[in-house]
Structure formats: structure tokens, C-alpha cells
Amino acid sequence: MGTQFLNSKLIKTELMKHYRFDLGYPYVATECIKYSDVNACNDKVLVEIEVKCSLQDLKAEFKTAGNKHNKHFVVYCNPSVRPYAIIPNYYYIAVPEELKQHAVDIVKQINTNYGVLVCKKYRCSPSGYTIVCAKKARKLHGKTPDNRTKSIIAKRITSELITLRQKYLR
């Protein structure tokens, strides 16, 4: 299977499994805080992950969202700018294996604190895929997630579960 079969839904599912089961994060959801593709949270950190499945999509993330990536720094250093903003402790871009080097190169240019996760083939996994870290993210700040953040993610998890159950019952 090539990149064309690694769509964002598959990568998001692998990321959720990785953070929930491999890393033990109790809160993992998609399309949650600031419409991040995946958020993972425990008592110590909040992780934000954006999934990019094509080189065009990867490049567009940083061209059209230049201010988006500055906000992690600006808002944390200046909480009065957006006092209720939820800023992740770690930020990752997740890509198929074929985009690994492109993603690492782009992230190094945009923000060296960002990391890169790769969804790659792994025959020992029931799904045939696994998540590996190509570039470890550095901490953007040291604040721990508050109860409001955890509540937002928990509500989203419940919504996702209800939606899946409704689809199953049809």
C-alpha cells in the first residue's frame, strides 16, 4: 500500500491507538481543541497533532497558517492576547512514511520545537501500521492541562462514541 491508501482517517486512528494504548494517555480525541486532528492529554501534558497526507497539504499547513504557528509562542507569552486559549505542551505533524523527510525539513524551518510522527507499515500490528517518532517535539511551555481542557476532550470523546454507536445501529 502506498501513500494514496494512507488517508487521514487511518492515520488519526493509528495516532489515537498509539497515544491511548502505547503511551497510556487517558484522554484522546479527534477534531477537538482548535479543531486539531488529534489531541492527547494526561495530567501532565496536552499534545496537539495535525495529520498531513500529501506534500501539497503539508506545505499548505505552514504557508496559509503562518500566524497559527506563531500563536503557540505569542499566546503563551502574552496570555492577555487570548486568556482562554488552550496551548498544547507539544505540537506534532503526522505524515505517511513517504513524507517523513519533507516533514522533518519543513518543521525544522518553521519551528524547531515541533515534532514529526510517521505512520508506517508494521506487519506485527493487527492494522498493518504503527506510529514512530521521526523528530521529537520540544515542550512549548510547562503549564499542566487544567480541568477545563480535560473536560473539553472528554466531551468530544463521548460525542465520537455516540456517533459511532449511531452508525453501528443503522
Side-chain angles (χ1 to χ4, degrees):
M1 280 190 186
T3 301
Q4 68 271 22
F5 295 107
L6 277 178
N7 63 39
S8 64
K9 287 182 182 179
L10 186 144
I11 295 174
K12 287 176 191 179
T13 301
E14 291 301 320
L15 286 163
M16 291 175 73
K17 288 176 7 187
H18 176 67
Y19 275 90
R20 178 65 195 104
F21 301 126
D22 298 341
L23 301 178
Y25 282 63
Y27 306 98
V28 183
T30 62
E31 309 301 329
C32 191
I33 297 171
K34 298 179 301 201
Y35 303 103
S36 304
D37 287 329
V38 177
N39 283 110
C41 182
N42 60 26
D43 288 335
K44 296 179 181 178
V45 297
L46 170 65
V47 180
E48 178 181 333
I49 307 161
E50 286 297 321
V51 174
K52 300 300 165 194
C53 293
S54 70
L55 184 57
Q56 180 181 357
D57 193 21
L58 178 64
K59 288 179 178 179
E61 170 71 10
F62 293 102
K63 277 187 181 172
T64 59
N67 290 336
K68 172 183 176 181
H69 297 285
N70 289 334
K71 77 172 181 255
H72 290 152
F73 179 75
V74 171
V75 174
Y76 182 73
C77 292
N78 240 335
S80 61
V81 173
R82 291 186 57 203
Y84 299 106
I86 298 172
I87 305 298
N89 299 88
Y90 295 97
Y91 181 87
Y92 283 95
I93 296 289
V95 296
E97 191 168 15
E98 293 84 357
L99 295 178
K100 173 183 160 183
Q101 195 55 53
H102 291 290
V104 169
D105 292 344
I106 289 171
V107 162
K108 283 181 179 177
Q109 290 174 4
I110 300 298
N111 189 330
T112 57
N113 291 325
Y114 291 173
V116 176
L117 299 173
V118 177
C119 185
K120 64 181 274 181
K121 291 180 190 177
Y122 184 63
R123 63 183 174 162
C124 295
S125 169
S127 68
Y129 294 96
T130 191
I131 299 295
V132 296
C133 183
K135 180 188 178 304
K136 186 167 175 30
R138 288 190 232 147
K139 216 174 222 189
L140 299 175
H141 65 84
K143 286 176 58 179
T144 57
D146 59 11
N147 287 335
R148 176 176 154 258
T149 301
K150 294 175 198 171
S151 175
I152 290 168
I153 297 173
K155 289 174 187 175
R156 179 62 186 151
I157 293 166
T158 305
S159 296
E160 288 181 324
L161 183 57
I162 292 167
T163 300
L164 286 172
R165 286 179 164 272
Q166 287 173 331
K167 287 180 182 178
Y168 177 75
L169 292 172
R170 287 185 197 145

Short mmCIF file of all heavy atoms in Angstrom, two decimals, residues 43-101:
data_model
loop_
_atom_site.label_atom_id
_atom_site.label_comp_id
_atom_site.label_asym_id
_atom_site.label_seq_id
_atom_site.Cartn_x
_atom_site.Cartn_y
_atom_site.Cartn_z
N ASP A 43 -2.43 14.07 32.90
CA ASP A 43 -2.36 15.08 33.96
C ASP A 43 -1.19 16.04 33.80
O ASP A 43 -1.17 17.10 34.42
CB ASP A 43 -2.27 14.40 35.33
CG ASP A 43 -3.58 13.76 35.73
OD1 ASP A 43 -4.64 14.21 35.24
OD2 ASP A 43 -3.55 12.82 36.54
N LYS A 44 -0.22 15.68 32.96
CA LYS A 44 0.99 16.50 32.83
C LYS A 44 1.08 17.31 31.55
O LYS A 44 1.63 18.40 31.55
CB LYS A 44 2.23 15.61 32.95
CG LYS A 44 2.35 14.95 34.30
CD LYS A 44 3.57 14.08 34.37
CE LYS A 44 3.65 13.42 35.73
NZ LYS A 44 4.79 12.53 35.84
N VAL A 45 0.58 16.75 30.42
CA VAL A 45 0.76 17.44 29.14
C VAL A 45 -0.45 17.30 28.21
O VAL A 45 -1.22 16.35 28.32
CB VAL A 45 2.01 16.93 28.37
CG1 VAL A 45 3.28 17.22 29.13
CG2 VAL A 45 1.90 15.47 28.03
N LEU A 46 -0.55 18.26 27.31
CA LEU A 46 -1.51 18.24 26.21
C LEU A 46 -0.71 18.20 24.91
O LEU A 46 0.20 19.02 24.72
CB LEU A 46 -2.39 19.49 26.24
CG LEU A 46 -3.29 19.71 25.02
CD1 LEU A 46 -4.34 18.61 24.90
CD2 LEU A 46 -3.95 21.08 25.09
N VAL A 47 -1.03 17.27 24.04
CA VAL A 47 -0.35 17.12 22.76
C VAL A 47 -1.34 17.44 21.65
O VAL A 47 -2.48 16.98 21.68
CB VAL A 47 0.18 15.68 22.57
CG1 VAL A 47 0.89 15.54 21.23
CG2 VAL A 47 1.11 15.31 23.72
N GLU A 48 -0.91 18.25 20.69
CA GLU A 48 -1.72 18.57 19.51
C GLU A 48 -1.03 17.96 18.29
O GLU A 48 0.19 18.11 18.14
CB GLU A 48 -1.84 20.08 19.34
CG GLU A 48 -2.63 20.51 18.12
CD GLU A 48 -2.72 22.02 17.97
OE1 GLU A 48 -2.66 22.75 18.99
OE2 GLU A 48 -2.86 22.47 16.82
N ILE A 49 -1.81 17.29 17.44
CA ILE A 49 -1.24 16.64 16.26
C ILE A 49 -2.07 17.01 15.04
O ILE A 49 -3.30 16.86 15.05
CB ILE A 49 -1.22 15.10 16.42
CG1 ILE A 49 -0.52 14.71 17.72
CG2 ILE A 49 -0.52 14.46 15.21
CD1 ILE A 49 -0.83 13.31 18.17
N GLU A 50 -1.39 17.46 14.00
CA GLU A 50 -2.02 17.72 12.71
C GLU A 50 -1.57 16.64 11.74
O GLU A 50 -0.38 16.33 11.66
CB GLU A 50 -1.62 19.09 12.17
CG GLU A 50 -2.28 20.25 12.86
CD GLU A 50 -3.79 20.28 12.69
OE1 GLU A 50 -4.29 19.96 11.58
OE2 GLU A 50 -4.48 20.60 13.67
N VAL A 51 -2.52 16.06 11.01
CA VAL A 51 -2.23 14.99 10.05
C VAL A 51 -2.16 15.59 8.66
O VAL A 51 -3.06 16.32 8.24
CB VAL A 51 -3.32 13.90 10.12
CG1 VAL A 51 -3.10 12.85 9.04
CG2 VAL A 51 -3.34 13.26 11.50
N LYS A 52 -1.11 15.24 7.94
CA LYS A 52 -0.93 15.70 6.57
C LYS A 52 -0.62 14.48 5.70
O LYS A 52 0.34 13.75 5.97
CB LYS A 52 0.21 16.72 6.47
CG LYS A 52 -0.02 17.95 7.31
CD LYS A 52 -1.29 18.66 6.88
CE LYS A 52 -1.76 19.67 7.90
NZ LYS A 52 -3.12 20.12 7.64
N CYS A 53 -1.44 14.27 4.65
CA CYS A 53 -1.32 13.05 3.83
C CYS A 53 -0.66 13.27 2.47
O CYS A 53 -0.40 12.32 1.76
CB CYS A 53 -2.70 12.43 3.63
SG CYS A 53 -3.37 11.79 5.16
N SER A 54 -0.42 14.53 2.12
CA SER A 54 0.24 14.80 0.85
C SER A 54 1.24 15.92 1.05
O SER A 54 1.12 16.72 1.99
CB SER A 54 -0.79 15.21 -0.21
OG SER A 54 -1.31 16.49 0.08
N LEU A 55 2.19 16.01 0.15
CA LEU A 55 3.19 17.07 0.22
C LEU A 55 2.52 18.43 0.06
O LEU A 55 2.86 19.39 0.76
CB LEU A 55 4.26 16.86 -0.85
CG LEU A 55 5.42 17.85 -0.84
CD1 LEU A 55 6.12 17.87 0.51
CD2 LEU A 55 6.42 17.50 -1.94
N GLN A 56 1.55 18.51 -0.82
CA GLN A 56 0.81 19.76 -1.02
C GLN A 56 0.10 20.19 0.27
O GLN A 56 0.16 21.35 0.67
CB GLN A 56 -0.20 19.58 -2.14
CG GLN A 56 -1.02 20.81 -2.45
CD GLN A 56 -2.03 20.56 -3.55
OE1 GLN A 56 -2.09 19.48 -4.13
NE2 GLN A 56 -2.83 21.56 -3.85
N ASP A 57 -0.53 19.26 0.94
CA ASP A 57 -1.22 19.53 2.20
C ASP A 57 -0.23 19.96 3.28
O ASP A 57 -0.47 20.89 4.05
CB ASP A 57 -1.98 18.27 2.63
CG ASP A 57 -2.98 18.51 3.74
OD1 ASP A 57 -3.40 19.66 3.94
OD2 ASP A 57 -3.35 17.52 4.39
N LEU A 58 0.90 19.29 3.32
CA LEU A 58 1.95 19.61 4.30
C LEU A 58 2.47 21.03 4.10
O LEU A 58 2.57 21.82 5.04
CB LEU A 58 3.08 18.59 4.18
CG LEU A 58 4.30 18.78 5.08
CD1 LEU A 58 3.91 18.63 6.55
CD2 LEU A 58 5.36 17.75 4.72
N LYS A 59 2.79 21.38 2.87
CA LYS A 59 3.29 22.73 2.57
C LYS A 59 2.23 23.79 2.86
O LYS A 59 2.54 24.86 3.38
CB LYS A 59 3.76 22.82 1.13
CG LYS A 59 5.05 22.07 0.86
CD LYS A 59 5.45 22.17 -0.59
CE LYS A 59 6.77 21.47 -0.85
NZ LYS A 59 7.16 21.53 -2.28
N ALA A 60 0.98 23.49 2.52
CA ALA A 60 -0.11 24.44 2.74
C ALA A 60 -0.33 24.73 4.22
O ALA A 60 -0.68 25.85 4.60
CB ALA A 60 -1.40 23.92 2.12
N GLU A 61 -0.11 23.75 5.07
CA GLU A 61 -0.28 23.94 6.52
C GLU A 61 0.57 25.09 7.02
O GLU A 61 0.14 25.89 7.85
CB GLU A 61 0.09 22.66 7.27
CG GLU A 61 0.19 22.80 8.76
CD GLU A 61 -1.14 22.98 9.46
OE1 GLU A 61 -2.20 22.83 8.84
OE2 GLU A 61 -1.11 23.31 10.66
N PHE A 62 1.76 25.22 6.50
CA PHE A 62 2.67 26.24 7.00
C PHE A 62 2.63 27.52 6.19
O PHE A 62 3.03 28.56 6.68
CB PHE A 62 4.08 25.67 7.09
CG PHE A 62 4.18 24.60 8.14
CD1 PHE A 62 4.20 23.27 7.79
CD2 PHE A 62 4.21 24.94 9.48
CE1 PHE A 62 4.26 22.28 8.76
CE2 PHE A 62 4.27 23.96 10.46
CZ PHE A 62 4.30 22.63 10.09
N LYS A 63 2.16 27.46 4.95
CA LYS A 63 2.04 28.69 4.16
C LYS A 63 0.83 29.50 4.60
O LYS A 63 0.93 30.68 4.86
CB LYS A 63 1.89 28.35 2.67
CG LYS A 63 3.20 28.11 1.98
CD LYS A 63 3.00 27.94 0.49
CE LYS A 63 4.33 27.67 -0.17
NZ LYS A 63 4.20 27.33 -1.57
N THR A 64 -0.32 28.83 4.68
CA THR A 64 -1.56 29.56 4.98
C THR A 64 -1.73 29.80 6.46
O THR A 64 -2.56 30.59 6.86
CB THR A 64 -2.78 28.78 4.47
OG1 THR A 64 -2.80 27.49 5.11
CG2 THR A 64 -2.73 28.60 2.97
N ALA A 65 -0.97 29.12 7.28
CA ALA A 65 -1.19 29.23 8.72
C ALA A 65 0.03 29.77 9.45
O ALA A 65 0.29 29.37 10.57
CB ALA A 65 -1.57 27.86 9.27
N GLY A 66 0.75 30.68 8.83
CA GLY A 66 1.94 31.21 9.48
C GLY A 66 1.65 31.74 10.86
O GLY A 66 2.35 31.47 11.82
N ASN A 67 0.56 32.50 10.99
CA ASN A 67 0.21 33.05 12.30
C ASN A 67 -0.25 31.97 13.26
O ASN A 67 -0.08 32.09 14.45
CB ASN A 67 -0.88 34.12 12.15
CG ASN A 67 -0.33 35.36 11.49
OD1 ASN A 67 0.87 35.61 11.54
ND2 ASN A 67 -1.19 36.11 10.84
N LYS A 68 -0.86 30.93 12.71
CA LYS A 68 -1.32 29.82 13.55
C LYS A 68 -0.15 29.26 14.35
O LYS A 68 -0.28 28.95 15.53
CB LYS A 68 -1.92 28.72 12.67
CG LYS A 68 -2.26 27.46 13.41
CD LYS A 68 -2.79 26.43 12.43
CE LYS A 68 -3.05 25.11 13.12
NZ LYS A 68 -3.53 24.10 12.20
N HIS A 69 0.99 29.14 13.74
CA HIS A 69 2.12 28.53 14.41
C HIS A 69 2.88 29.52 15.29
O HIS A 69 3.55 29.12 16.23
CB HIS A 69 3.02 27.83 13.39
CG HIS A 69 2.26 26.72 12.74
ND1 HIS A 69 2.00 25.54 13.38
CD2 HIS A 69 1.63 26.65 11.56
CE1 HIS A 69 1.27 24.76 12.60
NE2 HIS A 69 1.02 25.43 11.50
N ASN A 70 2.74 30.80 15.02
CA ASN A 70 3.32 31.79 15.92
C ASN A 70 2.49 31.92 17.19
O ASN A 70 3.00 32.29 18.23
CB ASN A 70 3.39 33.16 15.23
CG ASN A 70 4.45 33.18 14.17
OD1 ASN A 70 5.41 32.42 14.23
ND2 ASN A 70 4.26 34.02 13.18
N LYS A 71 1.19 31.60 17.10
CA LYS A 71 0.30 31.78 18.24
C LYS A 71 0.73 30.94 19.44
O LYS A 71 0.54 31.33 20.56
CB LYS A 71 -1.14 31.47 17.87
CG LYS A 71 -1.41 29.99 17.80
CD LYS A 71 -2.88 29.72 17.62
CE LYS A 71 -3.07 28.24 17.59
NZ LYS A 71 -3.32 27.63 16.39
N HIS A 72 1.32 29.77 19.18
CA HIS A 72 1.75 28.94 20.30
C HIS A 72 2.69 29.73 21.20
O HIS A 72 2.62 29.64 22.41
CB HIS A 72 2.44 27.66 19.81
CG HIS A 72 1.50 26.70 19.17
ND1 HIS A 72 1.92 25.82 18.21
CD2 HIS A 72 0.19 26.46 19.33
CE1 HIS A 72 0.90 25.09 17.81
NE2 HIS A 72 -0.16 25.47 18.49
N PHE A 73 3.55 30.51 20.58
CA PHE A 73 4.50 31.31 21.35
C PHE A 73 3.86 32.60 21.86
O PHE A 73 3.94 32.92 23.03
CB PHE A 73 5.72 31.63 20.48
CG PHE A 73 6.74 32.48 21.19
CD1 PHE A 73 7.55 31.93 22.16
CD2 PHE A 73 6.86 33.82 20.90
CE1 PHE A 73 8.48 32.70 22.84
CE2 PHE A 73 7.78 34.61 21.57
CZ PHE A 73 8.60 34.05 22.54
N VAL A 74 3.19 33.32 20.95
CA VAL A 74 2.64 34.63 21.29
C VAL A 74 1.61 34.52 22.42
O VAL A 74 1.66 35.26 23.39
CB VAL A 74 2.01 35.29 20.05
CG1 VAL A 74 1.23 36.53 20.42
CG2 VAL A 74 3.09 35.61 19.04
N VAL A 75 0.67 33.59 22.30
CA VAL A 75 -0.40 33.49 23.29
C VAL A 75 0.14 33.01 24.62
O VAL A 75 -0.27 33.49 25.68
CB VAL A 75 -1.53 32.57 22.79
CG1 VAL A 75 -2.57 32.34 23.87
CG2 VAL A 75 -2.18 33.17 21.56
N TYR A 76 1.09 32.10 24.61
CA TYR A 76 1.62 31.62 25.89
C TYR A 76 2.39 32.73 26.61
O TYR A 76 2.26 32.90 27.80
CB TYR A 76 2.50 30.39 25.72
CG TYR A 76 2.99 29.91 27.06
CD1 TYR A 76 2.12 29.28 27.94
CD2 TYR A 76 4.28 30.17 27.49
CE1 TYR A 76 2.53 28.90 29.20
CE2 TYR A 76 4.69 29.78 28.75
CZ TYR A 76 3.82 29.15 29.60
OH TYR A 76 4.22 28.78 30.85
N CYS A 77 3.18 33.48 25.86
CA CYS A 77 3.97 34.54 26.48
C CYS A 77 3.12 35.76 26.82
O CYS A 77 3.51 36.57 27.65
CB CYS A 77 5.10 34.96 25.55
SG CYS A 77 6.33 33.68 25.35
N ASN A 78 1.99 35.88 26.18
CA ASN A 78 1.10 37.03 26.36
C ASN A 78 -0.32 36.55 26.60
O ASN A 78 -1.18 36.71 25.74
CB ASN A 78 1.12 37.85 25.07
CG ASN A 78 1.60 39.24 25.29
OD1 ASN A 78 1.51 39.76 26.38
ND2 ASN A 78 2.10 39.84 24.22
N PRO A 79 -0.62 35.95 27.73
CA PRO A 79 -1.96 35.37 27.95
C PRO A 79 -3.09 36.37 27.78
O PRO A 79 -4.21 35.98 27.47
CB PRO A 79 -1.91 34.86 29.39
CG PRO A 79 -0.49 34.83 29.77
CD PRO A 79 0.25 35.78 28.88
N SER A 80 -2.82 37.65 27.95
CA SER A 80 -3.89 38.64 27.78
C SER A 80 -4.38 38.72 26.34
O SER A 80 -5.48 39.19 26.08
CB SER A 80 -3.43 40.01 28.26
OG SER A 80 -2.32 40.43 27.48
N VAL A 81 -3.57 38.25 25.38
CA VAL A 81 -3.97 38.25 23.97
C VAL A 81 -5.22 37.37 23.80
O VAL A 81 -6.18 37.77 23.17
CB VAL A 81 -2.83 37.73 23.07
CG1 VAL A 81 -3.30 37.58 21.63
CG2 VAL A 81 -1.65 38.67 23.13
N ARG A 82 -5.19 36.19 24.37
CA ARG A 82 -6.32 35.25 24.34
C ARG A 82 -6.31 34.49 25.67
O ARG A 82 -5.76 33.41 25.76
CB ARG A 82 -6.21 34.29 23.16
CG ARG A 82 -6.41 35.01 21.84
CD ARG A 82 -6.45 34.10 20.65
NE ARG A 82 -7.49 33.10 20.76
CZ ARG A 82 -7.46 31.95 20.11
NH1 ARG A 82 -6.47 31.67 19.31
NH2 ARG A 82 -8.43 31.09 20.23
N PRO A 83 -6.95 35.05 26.68
CA PRO A 83 -6.83 34.47 28.02
C PRO A 83 -7.38 33.05 28.16
O PRO A 83 -6.95 32.32 29.05
CB PRO A 83 -7.61 35.45 28.90
CG PRO A 83 -8.46 36.24 27.98
CD PRO A 83 -7.78 36.24 26.65
N TYR A 84 -8.30 32.65 27.31
CA TYR A 84 -8.88 31.31 27.43
C TYR A 84 -8.31 30.33 26.40
O TYR A 84 -8.80 29.22 26.27
CB TYR A 84 -10.41 31.37 27.31
CG TYR A 84 -11.00 32.23 28.40
CD1 TYR A 84 -11.49 33.50 28.13
CD2 TYR A 84 -11.02 31.77 29.71
CE1 TYR A 84 -12.01 34.29 29.14
CE2 TYR A 84 -11.53 32.56 30.73
CZ TYR A 84 -12.03 33.81 30.44
OH TYR A 84 -12.53 34.59 31.45
N ALA A 85 -7.30 30.73 25.68
CA ALA A 85 -6.69 29.86 24.67
C ALA A 85 -6.06 28.65 25.34
O ALA A 85 -5.48 28.75 26.41
CB ALA A 85 -5.64 30.62 23.88
N ILE A 86 -6.19 27.52 24.68
CA ILE A 86 -5.57 26.29 25.17
C ILE A 86 -4.38 26.02 24.26
O ILE A 86 -4.54 25.76 23.07
CB ILE A 86 -6.57 25.12 25.14
CG1 ILE A 86 -7.74 25.43 26.07
CG2 ILE A 86 -5.88 23.82 25.53
CD1 ILE A 86 -8.89 24.44 25.98
N ILE A 87 -3.20 26.10 24.82
CA ILE A 87 -1.97 25.91 24.07
C ILE A 87 -1.38 24.55 24.42
O ILE A 87 -1.20 24.24 25.60
CB ILE A 87 -0.94 27.02 24.39
CG1 ILE A 87 -1.55 28.41 24.17
CG2 ILE A 87 0.34 26.85 23.58
CD1 ILE A 87 -1.97 28.68 22.76
N PRO A 88 -1.07 23.74 23.42
CA PRO A 88 -0.51 22.42 23.72
C PRO A 88 0.90 22.53 24.30
O PRO A 88 1.61 23.49 24.04
CB PRO A 88 -0.47 21.73 22.36
CG PRO A 88 -0.32 22.86 21.39
CD PRO A 88 -1.12 24.00 21.98
N ASN A 89 1.28 21.53 25.07
CA ASN A 89 2.66 21.45 25.54
C ASN A 89 3.58 20.97 24.44
O ASN A 89 4.75 21.34 24.37
CB ASN A 89 2.77 20.50 26.73
CG ASN A 89 1.94 20.95 27.90
OD1 ASN A 89 0.77 20.60 27.98
ND2 ASN A 89 2.50 21.74 28.78
N TYR A 90 3.04 20.11 23.56
CA TYR A 90 3.80 19.56 22.44
C TYR A 90 2.95 19.63 21.18
O TYR A 90 1.74 19.44 21.23
CB TYR A 90 4.18 18.09 22.69
CG TYR A 90 5.11 17.89 23.84
CD1 TYR A 90 4.64 17.55 25.10
CD2 TYR A 90 6.49 18.04 23.68
CE1 TYR A 90 5.50 17.38 26.17
CE2 TYR A 90 7.36 17.87 24.75
CZ TYR A 90 6.86 17.53 25.98
OH TYR A 90 7.71 17.36 27.04
N TYR A 91 3.62 19.91 20.06
CA TYR A 91 2.93 20.00 18.77
C TYR A 91 3.64 19.10 17.77
O TYR A 91 4.87 19.17 17.63
CB TYR A 91 2.93 21.44 18.26
CG TYR A 91 2.21 21.61 16.95
CD1 TYR A 91 0.85 21.84 16.90
CD2 TYR A 91 2.92 21.52 15.74
CE1 TYR A 91 0.19 21.98 15.69
CE2 TYR A 91 2.27 21.65 14.53
CZ TYR A 91 0.90 21.88 14.50
OH TYR A 91 0.26 22.00 13.31
N TYR A 92 2.86 18.24 17.10
CA TYR A 92 3.41 17.32 16.10
C TYR A 92 2.66 17.43 14.79
O TYR A 92 1.46 17.72 14.76
CB TYR A 92 3.27 15.87 16.57
CG TYR A 92 4.27 15.44 17.61
CD1 TYR A 92 3.96 15.50 18.96
CD2 TYR A 92 5.53 14.97 17.24
CE1 TYR A 92 4.89 15.11 19.92
CE2 TYR A 92 6.45 14.57 18.20
CZ TYR A 92 6.12 14.64 19.53
OH TYR A 92 7.04 14.24 20.47
N ILE A 93 3.38 17.15 13.72
CA ILE A 93 2.81 16.89 12.41
C ILE A 93 2.94 15.38 12.20
O ILE A 93 4.01 14.82 12.43
CB ILE A 93 3.58 17.63 11.29
CG1 ILE A 93 3.47 19.15 11.45
CG2 ILE A 93 3.10 17.20 9.92
CD1 ILE A 93 2.11 19.73 11.14
N ALA A 94 1.87 14.73 11.77
CA ALA A 94 1.91 13.29 11.49
C ALA A 94 1.72 13.08 9.99
O ALA A 94 0.84 13.69 9.38
CB ALA A 94 0.82 12.56 12.25
N VAL A 95 2.57 12.23 9.41
CA VAL A 95 2.58 12.01 7.97
C VAL A 95 2.78 10.53 7.65
O VAL A 95 3.28 9.78 8.48
CB VAL A 95 3.70 12.83 7.28
CG1 VAL A 95 3.49 14.33 7.43
CG2 VAL A 95 5.08 12.42 7.80
N PRO A 96 2.43 10.13 6.41
CA PRO A 96 2.81 8.79 5.96
C PRO A 96 4.33 8.72 5.81
O PRO A 96 5.01 9.75 5.70
CB PRO A 96 2.14 8.66 4.59
CG PRO A 96 1.21 9.80 4.47
CD PRO A 96 1.65 10.85 5.42
N GLU A 97 4.84 7.52 5.80
CA GLU A 97 6.30 7.31 5.75
C GLU A 97 6.96 8.02 4.58
O GLU A 97 8.07 8.54 4.70
CB GLU A 97 6.59 5.81 5.70
CG GLU A 97 8.04 5.48 5.93
CD GLU A 97 8.26 3.99 6.16
OE1 GLU A 97 7.36 3.19 5.88
OE2 GLU A 97 9.36 3.66 6.62
N GLU A 98 6.28 8.08 3.45
CA GLU A 98 6.86 8.69 2.25
C GLU A 98 7.13 10.19 2.41
O GLU A 98 7.91 10.76 1.67
CB GLU A 98 5.94 8.48 1.03
CG GLU A 98 5.83 7.03 0.60
CD GLU A 98 4.78 6.24 1.40
OE1 GLU A 98 4.17 6.79 2.35
OE2 GLU A 98 4.59 5.06 1.09
N LEU A 99 6.45 10.83 3.37
CA LEU A 99 6.62 12.28 3.57
C LEU A 99 7.52 12.62 4.76
O LEU A 99 7.68 13.79 5.12
CB LEU A 99 5.25 12.94 3.77
CG LEU A 99 4.31 12.90 2.58
CD1 LEU A 99 2.98 13.54 2.95
CD2 LEU A 99 4.92 13.58 1.38
N LYS A 100 8.09 11.61 5.36
CA LYS A 100 8.88 11.79 6.59
C LYS A 100 9.94 12.88 6.44
O LYS A 100 9.97 13.83 7.22
CB LYS A 100 9.53 10.47 6.98
CG LYS A 100 10.50 10.57 8.12
CD LYS A 100 11.15 9.21 8.37
CE LYS A 100 12.42 9.32 9.14
NZ LYS A 100 13.08 8.01 9.30
N GLN A 101 10.82 12.77 5.47
CA GLN A 101 11.92 13.72 5.36
C GLN A 101 11.43 15.12 5.01
O GLN A 101 11.93 16.11 5.54
CB GLN A 101 12.96 13.25 4.33
CG GLN A 101 14.27 14.00 4.44
CD GLN A 101 14.88 13.95 5.85
OE1 GLN A 101 15.07 12.88 6.42
NE2 GLN A 101 15.17 15.11 6.43
#
